[in-house]
């Protein structure tokens, strides 16, 4: 693997593995997977193999650090990012031939043999992604009669055509007259006036959703149509009836209720109260501009950025306005150029997340705590601390700020997960200005504890953002639009608070009890931000042990048993994204470096030292590339479970380094936990609402 000049990882891999290993077939059962011989060279001492592997990986990771102190791997998602980039530029009139050629080359390179596109590596065909990719290629000049285009169009028609695509895809098509605006759910800008506490006010939505919805209300109010450069008749299932009317659901259902409400809103669109509409649009414009970050982006992610640019353009902002110029420049920083001449767009960038994980990994691997690389990374992380209120303050107006975001610039939305991991990283470094570090840690800890939801757990961005209504809107047919607490975020917080000596705090105990209640019947945990049950177990077990649960605790033993049952025949672990939609895939998939490392981190935290662990370490040693990293085209991260998958290109390196370091040196004890036995857990449990009284949405899981 190679690094680009700015320290990012090139997503193309050509190197051969350092050694070969067998991989389990996707259909193998967990029972058959765990019965095979370990990978690698069984005759060689496993610790010696681990040490050699770790030395190469550590050197490679150190070499990827940017001169400013940060690490950042490319964040791969799917070709809708690239297709929408071309459509945005077409809408604004700024698309260039070179951008189009390089982007189209990338989109073609990601097409599957059957002519479709998936949302993750090796995944099934996905209709909306295929529609958007097809349109982008047609925009680039690809002949609809070319074999690759004919195959794609045939798939779209077989799946119901454009009419069956998600709302967001049809919005993009409506911008060019390929879909009628009146056949889309209506979202009036007047929602900006709904007060906090009123159902479906903008703060009922997760931060990523509200930042997308507000500009989309402006777009919906204007209903712009740019001249279409071609038609899309070949993508309709029935060209004679391209815009079929769907019958309403029963009126006593949520779907039926909101469908009828949508019809009312469509009538209002035709006859709005003009002064109110003008005020709503002005307020929406102010809301959008106020939330533009220093780097020109919005929320650090693609969807709110593209829709904010379109909305402001419709409101009269010229392309040379500083707000528009900064927004468009941000997309250039999100652009990746490959050695093959391809061009693709990151949906987001993850320098803070990657940097804190890299520091944890290197420290746990035995790198000196005052190593210049760790000190430089600490300086950079300290400079990224956010000390002003953001949207989170709507729910916590009296909470003092202090935390970290995921991206280079996203001061309005620090998140709990990054803050927890940054604190864990800072606690591992000996810095020449310890008072500065201690102050940042203290503020981060206080802010994180103040972000606890009422059920005792933590979400990523907001507190008690658990309403079930937003997900029922006709508009919201793609991904999560709320931010309920999750097991992985809660676990990282618990682990962090234990590391700073807060294990005995009642708020930590409530978090631990919530995690115990959330354990699945089979012993695993659902992973909200990583794939999936392996990530859940890999996050929760180290946290529970750090908080004082003994390795003999029944929850820990059940989790260990689950990992043992799901080890692949080659010694590694893997889990396919399909586990989010099909529980039979839980813990099943091609072995990956990141997921193998997560499993090992849990097993090591639980005190396991036997054959299962050694086989996992052996798999990492056997599959390491010569330069010290691992090949991992599989996606093991999530934005929205199942709907939006992520390949964090640095995961394949930082987590194996962490796992191998803990295998050789033990799990670090920063402050130690306070013993937490089952009797104290039972006492605490008696003080909290029983699980049956908690809404299903509070679990962080989608129905499955």
């Amino acid at each position: 693997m190679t690094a680009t000049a700015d320290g990012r990882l090139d997503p193309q891999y050509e190197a051969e593995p350092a050694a070969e290993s067998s991989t389990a077939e996707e259909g193998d059962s967990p029972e058959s997977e765990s019965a095979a011989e370990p990978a690698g060279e069984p005759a060689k001492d496993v610790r010696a193999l681990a040490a050699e592997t770790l030395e190469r990986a550590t050197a490679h990771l150190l070499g990827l650090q940017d001169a400013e102190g940060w690490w950042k791997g490319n964040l791969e998602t799917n070709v809708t990012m690239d297709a929408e980039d071309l459509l945005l530029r077409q809408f604004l009139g700024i698309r260039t031939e070179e951008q189009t050629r390089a982007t189209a080359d990338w989109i073609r390179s990601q097409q599957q043999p059957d002519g479709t596109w998936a949302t993750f590596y090796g995944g099934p065909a996905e209709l909306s992604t295929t529609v958007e990719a097809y349109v982008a290629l047609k925009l680039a000049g690809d002949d609809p009669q070319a074999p690759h285009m004919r195959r794609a169009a045939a798939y779209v028609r077989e799946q119901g055509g454009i009419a069956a695509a998600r709302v967001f895809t049809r919005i993009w098509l409506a911008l060019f007259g390929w879909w009628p605006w009146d056949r889309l759910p209506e979202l009036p800008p007047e929602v900006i006036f709904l007060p906090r506490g009123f159902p479906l006010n903008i703060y009922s939505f997760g931060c990523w959703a509200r930042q997308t919805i507000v500009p989309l209300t402006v777009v919906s109010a204007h209903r712009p149509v740019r001249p279409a450069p071609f038609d899309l008749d070949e993508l309709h299932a029935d060209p004679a009836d391209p815009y079929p009317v769907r019958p309403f659901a029963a009126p006593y259902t949520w779907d039926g209720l909101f469908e009828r409400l949508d019809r009312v809103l469509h009538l209002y669109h035709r006859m709005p109260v003009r002064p109110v509409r003008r005020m709503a649009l002005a307020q929406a414009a102010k809301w959008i501009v106020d939330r533009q970050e220093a780097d020109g982006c919005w929320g650090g992610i693609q969807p709110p950025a593209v829709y904010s640019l379109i909305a402001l353009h419709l409101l009269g902002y010229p392309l040379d306005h500083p707000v528009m110029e900064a927004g468009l420049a941000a997309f250039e920083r999100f652009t990746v150029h490959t050695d093959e001449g391809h061009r693709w767009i990151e949906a987001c960038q993850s320098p803070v997340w990657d940097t804190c994980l890299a520091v944890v990994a290197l420290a746990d691997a035995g790198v000196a705590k005052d190593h210049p690389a760790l000190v430089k990374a600490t300086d950079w992380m300290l400079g990224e601390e956010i000390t002003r209120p953001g949207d989170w303050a709507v729910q916590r107006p009296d909470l003092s700020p202090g935390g970290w975001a995921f991206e280079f610039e996203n001061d309005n939305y620090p998140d709990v997960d990054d803050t927890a991991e940054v604190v864990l990283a800072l606690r591992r470094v000996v810095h020449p200005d310890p008072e500065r570090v201690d102050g940042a840690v203290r503020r981060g800890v206080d802010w994180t504890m103040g972000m606890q939801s009422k059920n005792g757990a933590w979400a990523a961005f907001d507190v008690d953002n658990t309403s079930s209504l937003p997900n029922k809107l006709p508009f919201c047919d793609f991904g999560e639009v709320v931010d309920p607490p999750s097991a992985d975020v809660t676990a990282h917080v618990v682990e962090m608070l234990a590391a700073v000596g807060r294990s005995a705090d009642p708020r930590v105990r409530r978090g631990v009890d919530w995690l115990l209640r959330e354990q699945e019947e089979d012993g695993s945990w659902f992973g909200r931000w990583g794939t999936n049950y392996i990530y859940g177990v890999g996050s929760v077990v180290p946290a529970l042990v750090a908080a004082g649960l003994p390795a003999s605790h029944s929850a820990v033993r059940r989790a260990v048993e689950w990992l043992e049952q799901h080890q692949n025949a080659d010694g590694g672990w893997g889990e396919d994204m399909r586990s989010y939609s099909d529980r039979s895939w839980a813990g099943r998939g091609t072995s990956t470096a990141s997921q193998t490392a997560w499993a090992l981190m849990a097993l090591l935290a639980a005190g396991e030292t036997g054959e299962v662990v050694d086989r996992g370490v052996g798999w990492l040693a056997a599959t390491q590339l010569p330069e010290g990293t691992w090949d991992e085209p599989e996606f093991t991260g999530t934005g929205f479970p199942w709907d939006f998958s992520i390949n964090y290109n640095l995961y394949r390196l930082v987590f194996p380094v962490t796992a191998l370091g803990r295998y050789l040196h033990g799990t670090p004890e920063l402050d130690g936990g306070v013993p937490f036995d089952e009797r104290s857990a039972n006492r605490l449990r008696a003080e909290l609402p029983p699980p049956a009284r908690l809404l299903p949405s509070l679990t962080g899981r989608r129905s499955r």
Side-chain angles (χ1 to χ4, degrees):
M1 178 161 52
T2 58
T4 56
D6 63 356
R8 297 177 298 179
L9 301 185
D10 190 328
Q12 306 300 319
Y13 304 98
E14 298 179 356
E16 293 297 323
E20 294 183 356
S21 68
S22 61
T23 56
E25 295 293 329
E26 283 189 344
D28 287 351
S29 67
E31 291 77 15
S32 65
E33 290 167 353
S34 61
E37 291 298 318
E41 305 173 31
K44 190 170 184 179
D45 179 70
V46 178
R47 291 188 66 83
L49 274 175
E52 295 169 5
T53 306
L54 180 59
E55 183 179 6
R56 286 190 295 269
T58 299
H60 188 69
L61 182 55
L62 285 168
L64 294 176
Q65 187 178 27
D66 185 80
E68 294 183 3
W70 46 264
W71 279 267
K72 178 192 166 306
N74 284 338
L75 192 150
E76 295 180 63
T77 53
N78 64 73
V79 297
T80 59
M81 300 296 104
D82 318 301
E84 291 170 8
D85 179 70
L86 291 187
L87 288 169
L88 170 68
R89 294 175 185 279
Q90 177 74 13
F91 183 84
L92 297 177
I94 59 173
R95 180 172 62 86
T96 69
E97 287 304 313
E98 176 55 29
Q99 291 167 341
T100 304
R101 180 203 61 76
T103 302
D105 286 347
W106 171 257
I107 293 174
R108 288 188 210 98
S109 76
Q110 301 302 299
Q111 189 174 22
Q112 302 187 121
D114 64 356
T116 66
W117 283 264
T119 58
F120 59 89
Y121 177 85
E126 206 281 320
L127 173 62
S128 296
T129 305
T130 300
V131 169
E132 294 187 31
Y134 179 94
V135 174
L137 291 183
K138 197 167 181 181
L139 196 64
D142 286 24
D143 185 349
Q145 296 305 314
H148 69 290
M149 297 290 278
R150 289 172 61 90
R151 290 194 299 270
Y155 167 79
V156 172
R157 292 192 299 270
E158 290 167 2
Q159 298 300 311
I162 291 173
R166 60 178 171 249
V167 168
F168 278 73
T169 295
R170 286 181 281 134
I171 288 174
W172 279 105
L173 300 185
L175 293 174
F176 299 94
W178 290 316
W179 188 264
W181 281 103
D182 61 4
R183 295 294 176 87
L184 286 166
E186 181 67 15
L187 195 64
E190 286 83 351
V191 298
I192 197 80
F193 294 135
L194 294 179
R196 184 171 66 89
F198 193 87
L200 299 177
N201 75 90
I202 60 172
Y203 295 99
S204 299
F205 297 85
C207 70
W208 58 87
R210 81 176 68 108
Q211 286 213 122
T212 302
I213 286 171
V214 172
L216 274 178
T217 65
V218 176
V219 177
S220 179
H222 283 81
R223 296 189 174 187
V225 177
R226 295 290 188 266
F230 45 77
D231 62 52
L232 292 176
D233 291 346
E234 70 273 23
L235 297 188
H236 293 300
D238 181 3
D241 184 20
Y243 316 123
V245 177
R246 299 177 182 177
F248 282 171
Y252 51 82
T253 65
W254 282 113
D255 286 346
L257 174 64
F258 281 116
E259 286 168 353
R260 288 161 174 81
L261 175 60
D262 183 63
R263 288 295 93 196
V264 173
L265 294 176
H266 273 276
L267 291 174
Y268 177 75
H269 172 82
R270 298 172 191 167
M271 298 178 292
V273 180
R274 297 296 177 184
V276 177
R277 173 58 57 91
R278 286 194 295 270
M279 287 190 295
L281 290 172
Q283 182 65 24
K286 181 179 185 303
W287 195 94
I288 294 168
V289 172
D290 286 348
R291 281 158 179 77
Q292 186 176 35
E293 296 292 342
D295 65 351
C297 195
W298 280 268
I301 53 178
Q302 184 259 14
V306 294
Y307 295 124
S308 292
L309 286 170
I310 293 173
L312 293 176
H313 187 59
L314 293 172
L315 290 169
Y317 283 66
L319 294 179
D320 60 357
H321 189 283
V323 170
M324 298 293 288
E325 286 187 334
L328 290 169
F331 277 107
E332 295 304 319
R333 289 186 287 273
F334 278 48
T335 301
V336 177
H337 298 277
T338 72
D339 292 340
E340 294 79 11
H342 299 160
R343 173 184 180 272
W344 60 276
I345 307 297
E346 293 181 283
C348 186
Q349 295 185 319
S350 54
V352 175
W353 183 243
D354 288 344
T355 300
C356 64
L357 293 178
V359 169
V360 169
L362 292 169
D364 291 3
V367 172
K369 293 183 177 182
D370 60 351
H371 189 286
L374 301 189
V375 173
K376 184 179 289 187
T378 297
D379 285 333
W380 184 81
M381 287 188 290
L382 291 173
E384 291 296 305
E385 184 189 4
I386 298 170
T387 56
R388 70 168 179 82
D391 271 7
W392 54 267
V394 171
Q395 287 292 98
R396 288 290 186 269
D398 299 324
L399 181 61
S400 297
W404 284 264
F406 186 75
E407 305 87 350
F408 284 113
E409 300 288 347
N410 193 8
D411 287 1
N412 204 51
Y413 292 103
D415 70 90
V416 170
D417 215 10
D418 275 272
T419 300
E421 290 295 333
V422 168
V423 170
L424 283 168
L426 295 177
R427 291 286 293 111
R428 283 166 160 80
V429 180
V430 174
H431 191 270
D433 189 353
E435 291 185 2
R436 184 185 176 204
V437 175
D438 289 346
V441 167
R442 182 179 63 255
R443 289 187 292 273
V445 168
D446 290 346
W447 179 77
T448 300
M449 295 187 84
M451 292 293 288
Q452 188 174 31
S453 290
K454 61 187 177 184
N455 65 354
W458 281 266
F461 295 95
D462 286 307
V463 176
D464 295 322
N465 187 247
T466 57
S467 172
S468 60
L469 286 180
N471 280 321
K472 299 181 185 302
L473 290 173
F475 196 85
C476 301
D477 67 346
F478 172 68
E480 295 282 3
V481 296
V482 293
D483 182 23
S486 67
D488 39 305
V489 174
T490 300
H492 294 156
V493 171
V494 167
E495 183 180 9
M496 178 271 284
L497 294 175
V500 297
R502 300 289 188 94
S503 294
D505 190 293
R507 288 168 289 186
V508 177
R509 298 306 195 191
R510 294 187 67 225
V512 169
D513 187 74
W514 186 88
L515 289 171
L516 294 176
R517 291 201 309 251
E518 284 297 294
Q519 189 172 28
E520 304 282 339
E521 291 182 5
D522 62 7
S524 64
W525 279 270
F526 180 88
R528 165 61 178 87
W529 296 97
T531 314
N532 169 353
Y533 296 97
I534 294 177
Y535 185 69
V537 173
S539 301
V540 175
V541 171
L544 294 179
V545 174
L549 262 72
S552 60
H553 191 281
S554 60
V556 177
R557 300 326 305 166
R558 291 169 58 212
V560 167
E561 183 179 356
W562 185 87
L563 287 173
E564 292 174 345
Q565 291 173 346
H566 290 82
Q567 187 174 29
N568 282 338
D570 58 15
W573 281 265
E575 183 171 346
D576 191 279
M577 285 287 173
R578 277 167 275 218
S579 67
Y580 283 113
S581 60
D582 182 351
R583 190 68 168 78
S584 69
W585 282 91
R588 287 183 52 224
T590 302
S591 294
T592 68
S594 57
Q595 292 168 321
T596 297
W598 298 336
L600 287 172
M601 289 160 64
L603 292 169
L604 292 168
E608 297 300 300
T609 59
E611 180 186 0
V612 171
V613 171
D614 287 347
R615 291 175 61 223
V617 171
W619 185 88
L620 289 175
T623 56
Q624 188 181 39
L625 299 174
E627 63 265 36
T629 188
W630 283 262
D631 189 7
E632 187 171 289
E634 292 81 12
F635 286 34
T636 64
T638 55
F640 311 134
W642 178 248
D643 292 303
F644 196 76
S645 305
I646 300 173
N647 185 341
Y648 291 98
N649 277 205
L650 209 62
Y651 273 19
R652 68 198 66 185
L653 184 57
V654 291
F655 287 115
V657 169
T658 304
L660 292 170
R662 293 179 185 181
Y663 175 78
L664 292 170
H665 308 301
T667 302
E669 293 185 9
L670 304 183
D671 269 325
V674 176
F676 190 73
D677 57 26
E678 295 204 39
R679 283 186 298 174
S680 60
N682 291 334
R683 285 197 301 272
L684 179 59
R685 189 176 293 112
E687 300 170 3
L688 297 173
R693 289 174 55 191
L694 298 175
L695 293 174
S697 61
L698 301 187
T699 66
R701 289 172 290 181
R702 296 180 66 115
S703 60
R704 57 184 188 275

